[in-house]
Amino acid sequence: MAERLVTFEKEGAIGVVSLRRPEKFNALDIPMLRALETALDEAEMADGVRVVLLRGEGKGFCAGGDVEAWGAMSAADFQVQWVRYGHRVFDRLARLRQPTIAVLSGHALGGGLELAVACDFRVAETHIKLGFPETSIGVVPGWSGTQRAVRRFGAQTVRRMALGGEILLAPEALALGVVDRVAETGNGLVEATAWAEKIAERGPLATEAAKLMIAVAEGEESAAATEALASGFIALTGDLKAGVDAFKTRQKPAFSRT
């Protein structure tokens, strides 16, 4: 059986999603995106997982989209199979129920930075570089680099990277709010894990609800978040049980305000 390109592992209350294409600096192609989507589904459904770390094996976090994967695509395929599908997977990450931390132990450029931006937090090792260099090869950030990144970091910071071609080092990225913490080289996973353990100690339902409410305020999602919060509230009342029991026994439900 071939080794999976992206894996999910549970370590107590912490889940770890690992990009496993180190020979390509974890560059993303369609098989990688599919594997990432599957791993995120596993993380979402994992019982007891309260925080999810996203990391890359080898020397790079993620080099972005693999040029060899999309370079020969037709315009139609590039739009649908590459950009739109990539958006769907990145949105899946952004809307994961658990808080997420990107562990940047290697460079995060282009789509790699967009992937990190889809996480709630970013821990960067001091030596890494971050940026949106796409315009240097005649394309634009296509997986939310001009949308989600602007909402989270501000338009001017994104202009500097996407238009001006600036590559940020971790300390400057920290000052601009692009990353949340900087760790010494080789210590990123340790720092992120310690932070995740503290987050995991907080009330899990309250943490998930707070994440949803922030997503609504940020414009990340609204309709789905509203319905999820309302449905979760109803599920904690007696109404759901009364309704289900009545359905099973073919009787009229006896609702109460408890």
Side-chain angles (χ1 to χ4, degrees):
M1 181 175 168
E3 189 173 88
R4 289 180 58 183
L5 293 169
V6 183
T7 58
F8 168 74
E9 296 176 305
K10 179 181 176 182
E11 300 176 1
I14 300 172
V16 181
V17 173
S18 300
L19 308 178
R20 305 185 66 182
R21 200 186 180 202
E23 72 281 1
K24 283 277 192 174
F25 297 97
N26 300 312
L28 300 171
D29 56 11
I30 296 299
M32 280 280 285
L33 289 171
R34 288 176 179 154
L36 176 57
E37 189 173 27
T38 297
L40 294 175
D41 287 342
E42 293 176 11
E44 181 95 279
M45 299 302 295
D47 186 39
V49 170
R50 298 186 179 183
V51 185
V52 175
L53 305 183
L54 177 63
R55 59 177 291 273
E57 289 194 352
K59 296 182 179 180
F61 168 69
C62 178
D66 189 342
V67 177
E68 294 180 1
W70 58 261
M73 285 184 176
S74 68
D77 287 345
F78 181 73
Q79 179 187 27
V80 176
Q81 295 183 22
W82 188 253
V83 177
R84 289 178 65 86
Y85 181 55
H87 256 281
R88 189 177 91 185
V89 177
F90 282 34
D91 288 348
R92 181 76 181 88
L93 172 59
R95 295 171 185 175
L96 208 66
R97 66 179 176 86
Q98 304 100 327
T100 52
I101 304 175
V103 185
L104 308 181
S105 55
H107 302 328
L109 300 169
L113 179 53
E114 289 171 307
L115 186 65
V117 172
C119 292
D120 295 302
F121 307 109
R122 285 150 294 282
V123 173
E125 294 188 5
T126 190
H127 68 284
I128 73 156
K129 299 177 181 179
L130 308 96
F132 291 130
E134 287 91 338
T135 56
S136 67
I137 59 170
V139 294
V140 296
W143 287 335
S144 74
T146 61
Q147 305 301 310
R148 181 177 291 121
V150 168
R151 292 197 301 269
R152 296 193 171 181
F153 311 138
Q156 198 60 28
T157 293
V158 176
R159 281 191 183 99
R160 288 175 56 180
M161 291 187 286
L163 305 184
E166 289 190 36
I167 300 297
L168 305 179
L169 298 178
E172 186 177 12
L174 178 66
L176 292 170
V178 176
V179 301
D180 301 283
R181 296 188 180 185
V182 172
E184 293 299 320
T185 296
N187 204 41
L189 184 59
V190 172
E191 177 81 17
T193 301
W195 192 6
E197 288 172 348
K198 290 183 179 179
I199 296 172
E201 294 173 354
R202 309 180 74 82
L205 292 178
T207 299
E208 290 180 24
K211 175 172 175 171
L212 272 174
M213 291 189 292
I214 293 168
V216 172
E218 192 180 38
E220 186 64 61
E221 56 180 324
S222 57
T226 299
E227 291 179 356
L229 288 168
S231 297
F233 168 73
I234 293 299
L236 293 174
T237 71
D239 282 1
L240 178 64
K241 185 178 186 303
V244 172
D245 289 347
F247 176 81
K248 290 179 178 179
T249 59
R250 300 181 183 279
Q251 297 178 353
K252 186 177 181 179
F255 293 124
S256 64
R257 293 182 59 82
T258 58

